[in-house]
Amino acid sequence: MRSPIFLTSLLLFSSISLFAQKFTVSGKVTDASSGESLIGVNILFKEGVGIVSDFDGNFSYSLESGVYNITVSYVGYTKVTQNVTINGPTKINFQLNSIVLDEVKVTADVAIA
């Protein structure tokens, strides 16, 4: 017969491993107007933890269950932040709106000696 201490510790350690389980968060980042995938988009899951999208705009990362504010940013597009609860494999797609510039003025000077 096994001791109660052994059974209690076995139950405790097996339940702790359930809380530390990681899940895959994946998705795609596209341009909102054209639907084209965006390459190299910054996807920040929490402070100091982020990735970039691949050639097809896809991303995938493993996170522990919890609530995250996922921030997606790309040069020339508005930044998007979305609150996401992770409690299993999660797929989330982002559509970014481009920033329209009103006017671009290019000037040049040539110095002749």
Side-chain angles (χ1 to χ4, degrees):
M1 181 114 187
R2 298 193 177 183
S3 70
I5 295 173
F6 174 75
L7 292 175
T8 304
S9 62
L10 181 64
L11 180 64
L12 178 68
F13 288 120
S14 64
S15 65
I16 289 173
S17 66
L18 292 175
F19 291 112
Q21 191 171 13
K22 288 191 172 191
F23 299 104
T24 301
V25 179
S26 62
K28 186 170 188 167
V29 184
T30 57
D31 181 287
S33 61
S34 68
E36 292 181 16
S37 57
L38 298 175
I39 303 165
V41 176
N42 297 311
I43 302 137
L44 188 66
F45 297 103
K46 58 184 176 180
E47 188 67 34
V49 177
I51 57 173
V52 295
S53 62
D54 67 7
F55 186 73
D56 296 321
N58 298 314
F59 65 91
S60 181
Y61 193 74
S62 293
L63 290 171
E64 294 179 2
S65 61
V67 178
Y68 296 89
N69 285 321
I70 299 176
T71 303
V72 178
S73 62
Y74 194 56
V75 175
Y77 289 84
T78 55
K79 184 189 302 185
V80 175
T81 300
Q82 188 167 346
N83 192 327
V84 178
T85 302
I86 308 297
N87 55 9
T90 305
K91 183 165 180 140
I92 181 167
N93 296 321
F94 292 95
Q95 292 185 333
L96 301 182
N97 293 311
S98 63
I99 298 172
V100 179
L101 299 176
D102 293 331
E103 180 179 321
V104 176
K105 186 175 183 180
V106 178
T107 59
D109 288 328
V110 177
I112 300 173

